[in-house]
Amino acid sequence: MSLYRTTLRRGLLDFHIGEAVPEIAFDVPRYMREMAEAGMQTLTFMTKDAFGTSYYDTRIGKKNAKLAGKDLLEEAVTEAHRNGIRLIAYYNVGLNSYVAGANPDYRQRDKDGAPVTNAFGFYDLLCLNSPYRDYVAAQLSEIAERYTVDGFFFDITYVWPSSCHCDYCRKWYVEKYGQTPPVSPPPGSADLRRWQQFQRDIRADFLRFITGRLKKLNPDLEIGWNHAGDLAFAHMEPDERADYLTSEFHPPIYLYGSLLAKWKRTKGKPFELMMPSEMGSWGEWTLAPAATLKAAAAITVSGGGSISFGHVPLPSGALKGALPPPVVEAIKEANDFIREREEWLLGASSVPDVAVLHGVHNRRMFEATSLPNHADDALNGINRMLIEGNVHFDVLSERDLVKQLGGYAVLAMPDQAYVSPEVEEAVREFVRGGGLLIATHRTSLYTEEGVRKANFGLSDVFGVDFDDTSRYSVNYMADFDKDVFGSVPEMPVLVKGTNTPVLRVRPSAEARVLSVYMEPAMETKTHRHVYHQHAHPAIRTDDPAVTLHRFGQGACLYLSAPLEASYWKTGSPWLRRIYMDSYKLLRPDPLIEVDAPIGVEVNLMRQASRWIVHLVQVREEKAAGSKTFMEEIWPLHNIKVRIRAKPARLYLAPQLEPLPFDEEGDGIVFTIPVLELHAMAVLEDVQV
């Protein structure tokens, strides 16, 4: 079975040292002993850094001059095996100043033909489509053939945003498309869509080439790369070749780690999140608080993944040769936390219940047009709202939705402006067959080319027809149905923070209008305004803001504002309450309901007939705009859980303490007495 499916505790030796330091001192035996004592099961170990220097006796590349007479990789393999640790070879693909200096034609080049020489502020970036790929393949083959490594991790397999216009890419573009590459293709043009696809193809073709080469040498090698299965890249095509998925996770941005886990766990592959053990990012040389590492671990493993802690021994100076002891201690504390819970983590998958669609092709449509792009804001906003609302959910791509939607009860479509005909039909049949849908704003209103259609593709499901866009930059939701929106104040609620207006829609006779808009007294301009910002609510309209429509055996709630993106930008609690009250109306009897304070994350996972309810208490906080790191946990008490499932027994893990419960309808109700950072309630032999 895959190494990445049977282990959870990982480390990343992010050892980009170069040759500017006076020496490289690295006590590998001590390091491996300490990592074993800290609970590491796999280590991703540096073989070639961002400068282009290698840390082993290479016959192809340039060995780091500070390692004369020393083969770090050979020593690491020996010591790792002695300490029961499996080794993954880290290889920095794109950054290589050594090769760039000798072969300037290998550099990635922008539209003006200028080489990319300051990638990430410092480095030379080489083209994956140039003969450099053969150099990379030769070094990786050398490592695979000469060293007993279990797999590879590739870093920086990127095409720079303005690249690549090198001679090799220009030639390939002409071969593919019969024309020279465009220099500044305008938004919305076929040229821009083709150019962006070409950029994706450069990366996908390289990863196909390099994984194929290594798998021929050893089909058991586990191969992955940074940002495989990453929302920020959304390169689904090459990720199919990865054996494991991996992304960077930088606390204190905790919410994004949760979002990554909810996305990656739907892809059918094991995944890891890589967290620098330093304060926020790589190379800061100062430890983040141990509680922060532990919180990142809790988020990741409760979401179905594994955590990899990045770290760097000090290579020279007064503390040279090792990791500072507090780093080892903090990693050990986090790994001990995971080890205690592994029985209920390994092989666990999410129980399908609520799905959020994040359309990769919708994102690509926005990137290729001039349309206001709130895809990331909408996704971040709904992620925050549902986590704060204690809702268990997964995030699906269009492809996953078509395959998996039938297993879910609820689908949320946050401003999915472009929806393919195949997905539209899948959603229509889902609701017709009894599924519940929450859709917002421009969902299904645009073509793949970014052209607005005459009506929503899903208008029959929404129960509304598109009429027009508001002429105001802000708007107010008002006249709320009191029976639905009991947690919303009886006054207009502002929607702002995005540069897309709310939509004016016409409800069908069968649709129930739950809220309408009030327009501001005027559109604010210089010398024509009220107060400092925008005008007050003044003009009542009949334009629906929220509607409920029964369709077949299911139902749809449609909100015509960019509500999720506005929430992400403003943090307005009323927008979250509007959304969550809408969800509760649509689904009064959910699969799992947790009565907990805002921000207690809920994950419902399963191992065969065992279900595990995970509660994680992590709040993303900022002080006056600066980062704040988690240093301590304040316990919460008596959290009530209702779940529509009946177990043979129920207990807290890892304590193995029985939990009393009461049967209620088709499920049970129980109370988790204390939640510090993380709590698990385990339901054995579940019947649904």
Side-chain angles (χ1 to χ4, degrees), residues 164-186 189-196 198:
C164 180
H165 289 266
C166 74
D167 290 343
Y168 305 100
C169 285
R170 291 178 63 83
K171 179 176 182 293
W172 199 37
Y173 194 92
V174 171
E175 291 174 355
K176 284 173 71 73
Y177 300 115
Q179 56 186 271
T180 57
V183 175
S184 298
S189 67
D191 277 347
L192 180 57
R193 291 193 298 275
R194 189 182 300 117
W195 172 250
Q196 290 174 340
F198 179 70

Side-chain angles (χ1 to χ4, degrees), residues 379-407:
L379 184 60
N380 284 318
I382 194 171
N383 179 60
R384 180 180 170 188
M385 284 194 294
L386 294 180
I387 286 177
E388 291 180 345
N390 315 128
V391 175
H392 162 68
F393 65 100
D394 298 321
V395 182
L396 302 180
S397 68
E398 301 104 316
R399 183 185 60 186
D400 295 331
L401 180 144
V402 171
K403 294 178 180 177
Q404 303 174 25
L405 184 56

Side-chain angles (χ1 to χ4, degrees), residues 421-435:
E422 182 184 21
V423 171
E424 282 185 7
E425 189 56 30
V427 172
R428 183 174 289 109
E429 290 306 308
F430 167 73
V431 180
R432 182 179 282 124

